[in-house]
Amino acid sequence: MYLSSLTELALASRLKSLSDRFYNAGDEVYRNAGARIESRWFPVMRFLWEQGPATVNDVAAAIGQTHSAVSQLTDKLVRAGMAKRQGDAADGRRSLLTLTTKGSRALAELGIVWAAIRQGVKDSLGAEGTQLLAAIEACERALDEQPIVPNILNRHAALAASKVVIVPFRTELREHFHALNAAWLRKYFVIEPIDEKVLRHPEEFVLKPGGAVFFAMLGDEVIGTCALLRDAPGVYELTKMAVDESFRGLGAGRQLLDAAIDEFRRGKGTMLFLESSKKLKPALHMYQRAGFVLQSANRPDSHYARADVYMIYAPPKKSAAKPRKRIAGKA
Amino acid sequence: MYLSSLTELALASRLKSLSDRFYNAGDEVYRNAGARIESRWFPVMRFLWEQGPATVNDVAAAIGQTHSAVSQLTDKLVRAGMAKRQGDAADGRRSLLTLTTKGSRALAELGIVWAAIRQGVKDSLGAEGTQLLAAIEACERALDEQPIVPNILNRHAALAASKVVIVPFRTELREHFHALNAAWLRKYFVIEPIDEKVLRHPEEFVLKPGGAVFFAMLGDEVIGTCALLRDAPGVYELTKMAVDESFRGLGAGRQLLDAAIDEFRRGKGTMLFLESSKKLKPALHMYQRAGFVLQSANRPDSHYARADVYMIYAPPKKSAAKPRKRIAGKA
DNA sequence: GAAAATTATGTAAGCACTAACATAACCAGC
DNA sequence: GCTGGTTATGTTAGTGCTTACATAATTTTC
């Protein structure tokens, strides 16, 4: 699913849709089991059932919703004959919500339905269900203790102060060349032996034959990398492009690409190609915008099992790359 | 929070409220960071940004919503000048959604905001955040593979066919006496040495001194237990009452209680008491309904550190317990 | 090549919730 | 005892989504 690739950014949407799925499942179960209640009623009714009569605010606080929501829900319960409102004699503002006998009877009959739900959820979700519950619990607590927005804004201020800079290979950054690439390789494919060799020893397999490695830095964090590999005299391969997931969208990929293309031209290269996979759509778009052209056939003697895309650098004539570079520098 | 005590039963409500919290947090962040977008727009806009122009249905499928939702959201994006609709020349039914330059520019500026969100979420939620994402992912997959409703309905049918039966102690059930009690003790308190002793050796510490242990069975599953402990001649303590969380609401607790009270009367006991904790509200209600009366002071020489409630069995005269038993048997 | 089915999209009505306001009851401090 | 603030609740309008329906374009089927 597309949303899962956005990880933290689309949390709310995914939670919402999971929530809807469970609400619907609940309603379907109640309907099929002959229960006369709806899944949205459950928290309020169960609370009244367990704890006895309570005020609107009590209920709202317990189930974590606004008093309005509870008040409106109560209207429905009253209309359905499940609950009633009684003025509190001691305090005229309050009104006690109570289950009617019809309401308590409806709940009393639900015992085995609840047991079935608990078991059924365990059957379907297994350990994931327990894990989900635990994670929800933990997040609720974490959000209560440490509000998330100020945290994000602090981070934002820090990031806004720095900007992405491309630097050439340095020995002390070698580790990152491997780590950044391993992350996405593991995610989408597997790490092939040739990857491991090159990623572990860039000096020997990239630099020495006449290639280059670049890193994208944000402040003092290494957020991306790529390599220009000399394949034959004048022939270069763009490869090992990787940007840390948390820093996608900053333009680091494009800047790395531009740096590699610059290096290719400085070296008076005659051909620059890359191999990739159809799975990596956003990357392919970027390559295309940068001047790479998709070839109809795959590269004849590819190094990679995963490669099903072959692109060659062929920018439109009249030096279209120059102005582009200025824009990238500005962004 | 009350909802967390309902575990699987209130999953939907809790997911919804978590979702709302994240939506609100997102909006707050965007507002404060000067971004011109709303958190609800994000999935659609990001998708168009990454994958290029797409039809309503493409977008809907990718972000897991109905085409109507996307269509309506598009109206808003168009009104805000972020996107436009273009009729597809090849297929007159379709209309391609595209970001306007204003839209793409707005997103391009969001790079560091997204990075900040990812980092900030990690700061606030830490491992819980990762765990939550993993759990969501797993649940989505599990629900797709194995629909949950038929599972629940099967379970329900099975449960509806059997009913709760109370049986006296049997050696081969000894393990359950410990397991059922350990579950709730660990959850609310800690297991004190005296608990461990009695739970592990009910024959020696409960039966031999003249007490009794009961189990509640549903089909061949042991779902609850309780013990009647002889404290002194004619004086009995009701204790070690436990019902499996998955089977709350079936009335097993009440039936166990009735069985113990019956046993107490059969033994011509003169006093029956119990100790419990204010934390266990639903249990206290049940005890009260069964005829236990809350004492103003705690029991003088309590065995338990956790006990802050002391109740004595004193049913209203004129044999109120008899009719009650019939009802319990019927339920 | 016309009829039937499918696909793509928009529109309307409804639901669950929230925010914002309105009202009434209560309470604390002078 | 009155006054300003608080608390408890209801009411209204608005939002984001869904379902159900409507419509038009396209493809399939005989």
Side-chain angles (χ1 to χ4, degrees):
Chain A
M1 215 245 261
Y2 171 67
L3 284 191
S4 62
S5 74
L6 301 177
T7 62
E8 288 87 356
L9 299 179
L11 249 184
S13 303
R14 294 173 78 194
L15 288 169
K16 171 71 161 46
S17 100
L18 250 196
S19 161
D20 286 340
R21 289 174 84 162
F22 283 116
Y23 271 129
N24 289 338
D27 280 331
E28 207 177 326
V29 167
Y30 286 140
R31 229 178 5 255
N32 279 296
R36 300 298 224 77
I37 85 163
E38 294 181 18
S39 60
R40 308 257 174 183
W41 302 356
F42 170 74
V44 171
M45 290 187 71
R46 171 89 183 210
F47 182 80
L48 293 178
W49 192 56
E50 276 185 27
Q51 317 265 333
T55 66
V56 172
N57 260 357
D58 289 346
V59 176
I63 67 176
Q65 288 189 327
T66 59
H67 76 268
S68 311
V70 174
S71 178
Q72 291 171 33
L73 217 166
T74 305
D75 288 344
K76 264 167 236 166
L77 292 179
V78 170
R79 233 174 292 136
M82 292 295 186
K84 54 180 189 283
R85 293 178 206 255
Q86 300 178 304
D88 183 335
D91 184 337
R93 293 167 304 179
R94 318 170 78 173
S95 86
L96 286 175
L97 309 183
T98 334
L99 290 185
T100 58
T101 42
K102 179 180 171 190
S104 348
R105 199 162 302 145
L107 288 189
E109 284 165 8
L110 281 179
I112 54 169
V113 178
W114 292 331
I117 292 177
R118 287 206 160 101
Q119 294 181 339
V121 169
K122 275 177 194 142
D123 287 348
S124 283
L125 301 186
E128 285 92 328
T130 325
Q131 202 190 332
L132 180 63
L133 275 168
I136 293 173
E137 183 92 37
C139 282
E140 288 170 344
R141 215 183 2 256
L143 287 181
D144 289 340
E145 280 166 14
Q146 199 186 8
I148 202 169
V149 174
N151 251 332
I152 295 177
L153 292 175
N154 286 343
R155 287 290 198 166
H156 179 248
L159 288 175
S162 41
K163 58 183 254 187
V164 177
V165 176
I166 307 296
V167 301
F169 184 83
R170 293 207 302 266
T171 318
E172 69 270 28
L173 300 181
R174 192 203 299 117
E175 267 309 298
H176 294 282
F177 186 57
H178 180 273
L180 287 163
N181 273 288
W184 73 266
L185 278 171
R186 262 196 293 269
K187 183 162 176 187
Y188 292 100
F189 309 99
V190 290
I191 303 182
E192 303 180 31
I194 183 178
D195 296 319
E196 190 65 18
K197 206 178 67 176
V198 173
L199 291 175
R200 290 290 184 197
H201 310 289
E203 289 101 328
E204 185 179 349
F205 295 102
V206 182
L207 300 183
K208 214 164 99 192
V213 169
F214 297 97
F215 291 104
M217 314 275 305
L218 186 68
D220 49 2
E221 262 197 285
V222 183
I223 66 169
T225 187
C226 83
L228 187 70
L229 206 61
R230 211 185 79 129
D231 191 60
V235 178
Y236 291 86
E237 176 184 358
L238 180 83
T239 184
K240 303 290 174 282
M241 164 80 76
V243 175
D244 186 322
E245 282 215 319
S246 307
F247 297 94
R248 298 272 164 85
L250 281 175
R254 179 60 200 243
Q255 283 179 249
L256 284 164
L257 196 48
D258 287 339
I261 292 173
D262 270 11
E263 177 68 20
F264 161 74
R265 298 173 141 191
R266 233 190 331 269
K268 303 268 186 264
T270 53
M271 180 197 181
L272 175 61
F273 71 93
L274 63 82
E275 291 187 274
S276 183
S277 159
K278 284 176 190 141
K279 281 190 190 175
L280 307 169
K281 285 223 180 116
L284 298 185
H285 272 101
M286 182 181 69
Y287 295 140
Q288 207 185 310
R289 279 197 301 266
F292 281 83
V293 175
L294 183 62
Q295 305 299 301
S296 52
N298 290 351
R299 182 167 167 81
D301 46 348
S302 169
H303 306 309
Y304 310 107
R306 63 180 172 266
D308 61 359
V309 164
Y310 177 37
M311 299 180 92
I312 296 181
Y313 181 61
K317 292 291 134 72
K318 50 174 181 159
S319 81
K322 272 293 166 199
R324 173 67 222 178
K325 229 214 113 192
R326 245 193 297 136
I327 293 169
K330 211 167 58 182
Chain B
M1 217 243 259
Y2 171 67
L3 285 190
S4 62
S5 76
L6 301 177
T7 61
E8 289 87 356
L9 299 178
L11 249 185
S13 303
R14 294 172 78 194
L15 288 169
K16 172 72 160 48
S17 101
L18 249 196
S19 161
D20 285 340
R21 290 174 84 162
F22 282 117
Y23 271 130
N24 289 337
D27 279 331
E28 207 177 326
V29 168
Y30 286 140
R31 231 181 0 259
N32 279 296
R36 299 295 224 76
I37 85 163
E38 295 181 17
S39 59
R40 308 257 173 183
W41 302 356
F42 170 74
V44 171
M45 291 187 72
R46 171 91 183 208
F47 181 81
L48 294 178
W49 192 57
E50 276 185 26
Q51 318 264 335
T55 67
V56 171
N57 260 357
D58 290 346
V59 176
I63 67 176
Q65 287 189 328
T66 59
H67 76 269
S68 308
V70 174
S71 178
Q72 290 170 33
L73 217 165
T74 304
D75 288 344
K76 264 167 235 166
L77 292 180
V78 170
R79 232 175 291 135
M82 292 297 186
K84 53 180 188 283
R85 293 178 207 255
Q86 299 177 304
D88 183 336
D91 184 337
R93 291 167 306 178
R94 319 171 78 174
S95 86
L96 286 175
L97 310 183
T98 334
L99 290 185
T100 58
T101 42
K102 178 179 171 190
S104 346
R105 199 162 301 146
L107 287 188
E109 283 165 9
L110 281 178
I112 52 168
V113 178
W114 291 332
I117 291 176
R118 287 207 160 99
Q119 295 181 338
V121 168
K122 277 177 193 143
D123 287 348
S124 282
L125 302 185
E128 285 92 327
T130 325
Q131 203 190 331
L132 180 64
L133 275 168
I136 292 173
E137 183 94 36
C139 282
E140 287 170 344
R141 217 184 0 258
L143 286 181
D144 289 339
E145 280 165 15
Q146 198 186 10
I148 201 168
V149 174
N151 251 332
I152 295 176
L153 291 175
N154 286 343
R155 288 290 199 164
H156 179 247
L159 288 176
S162 41
K163 58 183 252 188
V164 177
V165 176
I166 306 297
V167 301
F169 184 83
R170 293 204 302 266
T171 318
E172 69 270 27
L173 300 180
R174 193 203 298 118
E175 267 308 300
H176 294 281
F177 186 57
H178 181 272
L180 287 162
N181 273 288
W184 73 266
L185 278 171
R186 262 196 294 269
K187 184 164 174 185
Y188 293 100
F189 309 100
V190 290
I191 304 182
E192 302 181 29
I194 183 178
D195 296 317
E196 190 64 20
K197 207 177 67 174
V198 173
L199 291 175
R200 289 290 184 198
H201 310 289
E203 289 100 329
E204 185 179 348
F205 295 104
V206 182
L207 301 183
K208 214 165 101 192
V213 169
F214 298 97
F215 291 104
M217 315 275 306
L218 187 66
D220 49 2
E221 263 197 285
V222 183
I223 66 168
T225 187
C226 82
L228 188 70
L229 206 62
R230 209 186 79 128
D231 193 60
V235 178
Y236 291 84
E237 175 183 0
L238 180 83
T239 185
K240 302 292 173 280
M241 164 80 76
V243 174
D244 186 323
E245 282 214 320
S246 307
F247 298 94
R248 299 271 165 86
L250 281 174
R254 180 58 199 246
Q255 283 180 248
L256 284 164
L257 197 49
D258 287 339
I261 292 173
D262 270 9
E263 176 70 20
F264 162 73
R265 298 171 140 192
R266 231 186 337 267
K268 305 264 187 266
T270 53
M271 180 196 181
L272 175 60
F273 70 93
L274 64 81
E275 291 186 272
S276 183
S277 159
K278 282 176 190 140
K279 280 191 191 175
L280 307 169
K281 285 219 182 123
L284 298 185
H285 273 101
M286 183 182 68
Y287 295 139
Q288 206 184 312
R289 279 197 301 267
F292 281 83
V293 176
L294 183 62
Q295 305 299 301
S296 51
N298 291 350
R299 182 166 166 81
D301 46 349
S302 169
H303 305 310
Y304 310 106
R306 62 179 173 267
D308 59 359
V309 164
Y310 176 38
M311 298 180 93
I312 297 180
Y313 182 62
K317 292 292 136 69
K318 49 176 181 154
S319 80
K322 273 292 164 199
R324 173 66 224 180
K325 229 213 114 194
R326 244 193 298 139
I327 293 170
K330 209 168 55 183

